Every structure is written in structure tokens, then in C-alpha cells.
């Protein structure tokens, strides 16, 4: 092997070693729907000394997310009141990060570290990289004419609901957070849900729940059908029972043949 090839082979091997030892070379993938909780897995047990109080850090490429040492904790500004590594779990070696009310902006790569050493000299031991994907909700909802349509907002991130009729291309604003509107047909909000009363055929179409950035938190396709009336249901049941009874009766020709055979036996 000449010198150039030897140098190329050495550089390639060195690159593979560096990539293989990089924190980003082993990534755990997880996902969550927007507005729901997410758990980013992490285990630190093999790095802990007996009786040691773990000091754990979670961060993204650009932001500090969460830090805990015993009862002391720190939450990044974007994760205020939403991020936690429960102390009792951490003491057992589970350093998983719990996120509440997940946002689209939470998507990305998170890295966890164990901080070790004396107060004056501390080192960080890399533990785990986790890639979090955040997706929207997609729902198909059938409803009957005259009933109520309940639309789930999923999260307080919801700022607006828009609607597109199945026979139209335009979008109409149906609801906005904080708007004090009492006009007929305007939905009532309760417990992060919208209630549309007395659905009609014109209610069929696509509903989108949007956040403050105009991103769709959920897309709901609503179909509307006529209800089956109680009398019609009973009539269908009776006809079905009569049909089954008719099917279970022997054909007329078999009955006649049986009677003739029985008559001949009596004559003999």
C-alpha cells in the first residue's frame, strides 16, 4: 500500500472511531402528539456510586432544559412548569425526562449528562441522546343530524378553530380563544373542548385547531348522517325476525309429500 492510500485508510478509520464515540452516534427515537405528555428515556444506574446523590442535566443543542440534584432543580425558560425528573425515580437510577403539554417547538435532540466531582472541579458524563418528534392529531368523527359535535382542543396552546365545508374551498373562523361572542351557533368552550349544538348536514367538513403560530394542532374530518328512527329500527327488527322464521319453515312441497306418505301408511 503506497503512502497516500495508507494515509486515507488511517483517516477513514479515525473518522469511524470518532463518529462511533460521539454522543449523537447512538440516538433513541420517541414521539408524542402535541399537547400530550412525553417521556425521554434515560438510565444512570451503572454510573452511580453507592450512596451518591445523582446530579442530572438535560439539554438540547441550544437550550438548557432541566437539572436536578436532590431537591434542588432548574427548569429552562421554555420548559417552565413542564419538565421534571422525579427525585424518587432518579435515586433509583432512572433519569428519564418527563415533559408535559408537549409543543411543536419541543421537537429535536435532547442529551442527558451525569455531573460528577467535587464542587470546585466537576465533570459531565454523557448518558443518552433522545430524538423527540412531535406530531399533530388526525381524527375522523361521524355524528348524527341534530346531535352535538364535541371538538377536543387537546391543549391550552389552541388559539383558533377554522372550518372548511366539504363542498367549499374557503376556510371560516368558528372560534377564537378569549373572544366574547354570544351569537347563535357559536360553540361553547368547557374543559378544553368545544361544543357545537344541533349539528346539520352543513356541519360536515374539515375542522382545524390552530396554535398561535397558525400550526394545526389537530385536523378533524366530520361526517354527518341522518339518525335511524326508533320506529324504523323496530320495523327492521320485526321484518328480520319474520324473514328468519320463514327461512326456518320447511318448503310446502315437503309438507304435502309427508302428509301423502302418512295417509298411505294408514290405508295399508
Amino acid at each position: 500500500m503506497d503512502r497516500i492510500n495508507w494515509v486515507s485508510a488511517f483517516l477513514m478509520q479515525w473518522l469511524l472511531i470518532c463518529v462511533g464515540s460521539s454522543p449523537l452516534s447512538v440516538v433513541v427515537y420517541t414521539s408524542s402528539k402535541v399537547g400530550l405528555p412525553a417521556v425521554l428515556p434515560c438510565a444512570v444506574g451503572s454510573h452511580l456510586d453507592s450512596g451518591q446523590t445523582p446530579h442530572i442535566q438535560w439539554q438540547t443543542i441550544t437550550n438548557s432544559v432541566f437539572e436536578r440534584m436532590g431537591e434542588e432543580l432548574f427548569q429552562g425558560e421554555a420548559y417552565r412548569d413542564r419538565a421534571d425528573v422525579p427525585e424518587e425515580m432518579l435515586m433509583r437510577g432512572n433519569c428519564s425526562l418527563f415533559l408535559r403539554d408537549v409543543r411543536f417547538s419541543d421537537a429535536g435532540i435532547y442529551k442527558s449528562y451525569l455531573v460528577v466531582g467535587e464542587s470546585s472541579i466537576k465533570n459531565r458524563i454523557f448518558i443518552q441522546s433522545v430524538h423527540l418528534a412531535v406530531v399533530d392529531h388526525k381524527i375522523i368523527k361521524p355524528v348524527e343530524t341534530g346531535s352535538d359535535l364535541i371538538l377536543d382542543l387537546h391543549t391550552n396552546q389552541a388559539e383558533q378553530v377554522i372550518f372548511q365545508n366539504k363542498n367549499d374551498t374557503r376556510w371560516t373562523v368558528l372560534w377564537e380563544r378569549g373572544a366574547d361572542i354570544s351569537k347563535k351557533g357559536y360553540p361553547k368552550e368547557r374543559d378544553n373542548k368545544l361544543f357545537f349544538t344541533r349539528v346539520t348536514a352543513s356541519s360536515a367538513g374539515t375542522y382545524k385547531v390552530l396554535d398561535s403560530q397558525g400550526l394545526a394542532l389537530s385536523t378533524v374530518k366530520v361526517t354527518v348522517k341522518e339518525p335511524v328512527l326508533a320506529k324504523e329500527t323496530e320495523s327492521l327488527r320485526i321484518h328480520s325476525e319474520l324473514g328468519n322464521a320463514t327461512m326456518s319453515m320447511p318448503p310446502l312441497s315437503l309438507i304435502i309429500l309427508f302428509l301423502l306418505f302418512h295417509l298411505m301408511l294408514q290405508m295399508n
Side-chain angles (χ1 to χ4, degrees):
M1 181 183 296
D2 57 33
R3 181 178 178 82
I4 294 178
N5 289 336
W6 184 88
V7 171
S8 298
F10 174 80
L11 290 175
M12 181 62 70
Q13 185 177 11
W14 177 82
L15 179 61
L16 290 173
I17 292 173
C18 289
V19 171
S21 61
S22 168
L24 297 180
S25 62
V26 179
V27 180
V28 174
Y29 291 86
T30 188
S31 65
S32 175
K33 290 184 177 180
V34 63
L36 297 183
V39 180
L40 281 59
C42 171
V44 72
S46 60
H47 299 284
L48 288 179
D49 296 330
S50 178
Q52 177 185 359
T53 300
H55 182 179
I56 198 76
Q57 291 180 344
W58 277 92
Q59 65 180 53
T60 63
I61 296 175
T62 56
N63 296 314
S64 293
V65 178
F66 184 83
E67 185 171 352
R68 177 184 285 281
M69 183 176 179
E71 295 182 355
E72 297 182 18
L73 61 86
F74 164 82
Q75 294 175 324
E77 186 62 33
Y79 301 88
R80 188 77 63 190
D81 298 325
R82 297 195 303 119
D84 191 21
V85 176
E87 182 182 2
E88 62 277 10
M89 294 179 61
L90 183 57
M91 294 302 296
R92 297 196 299 267
N94 186 341
C95 50
S96 299
L97 177 67
F98 290 76
L99 292 178
R100 295 190 307 104
D101 194 22
V102 168
R103 305 169 181 174
F104 287 124
S105 58
D106 292 338
I109 293 179
Y110 292 72
K111 295 183 288 184
S112 57
Y113 296 90
L114 177 67
V115 181
V116 297
E118 302 298 329
S119 58
S120 57
I121 305 176
K122 289 185 178 293
N123 295 311
R124 295 199 309 173
I125 300 174
F126 169 75
I127 304 171
Q128 182 71 65
S129 287
V130 181
H131 184 277
L132 174 63
V134 181
V135 297
D136 62 331
H137 301 259
K138 295 187 183 299
I139 303 166
I140 297 176
K141 183 184 287 288
V143 293
E144 292 184 347
T145 303
S147 63
D148 293 345
L149 169 62
I150 302 175
L151 198 66
D152 199 333
L153 298 176
H154 299 288
T155 169
N156 289 330
Q157 302 170 50
E159 292 291 336
Q160 191 179 69
V161 172
I162 59 176
F163 169 72
Q164 183 186 63
N165 187 279
K166 66 177 183 178
N167 299 319
D168 202 348
T169 58
R170 296 171 298 174
W171 289 93
T172 304
V173 176
L174 297 183
W175 171 85
E176 289 183 304
R177 186 176 295 281
D180 186 15
I181 300 176
S182 58
K183 67 179 182 180
K184 183 179 180 180
Y186 196 79
K188 303 294 183 182
E189 180 191 356
R190 185 169 69 250
D191 299 329
N192 259 341
K193 291 180 173 60
L194 294 183
F195 294 81
F196 297 84
T197 58
R198 301 187 61 80
V199 165
T200 65
S202 62
S203 303
T206 302
Y207 295 73
K208 286 183 178 287
V209 181
L210 307 180
D211 66 5
S212 59
Q213 305 300 315
L215 299 176
L217 302 171
S218 73
T219 301
V220 183
K221 291 189 178 297
V222 173
T223 59
V224 179
K225 62 180 181 179
E226 292 294 328
V228 179
L229 300 179
K231 289 184 178 180
E232 292 179 358
T233 303
E234 181 65 16
S235 177
L236 289 172
R237 184 186 66 80
I238 294 173
H239 281 294
S240 177
E241 290 179 354
L242 288 174
N244 291 335
T246 303
M247 291 295 294
S248 64
M249 293 177 61
L252 180 61
S253 57
L254 292 178
I255 296 175
I256 295 173
L257 183 61
F258 175 78
L259 292 175
L260 288 174
F261 179 77
H262 186 65
L263 181 61
M264 290 175 64
L265 289 176
Q266 287 182 343
M267 292 177 63
N268 292 335

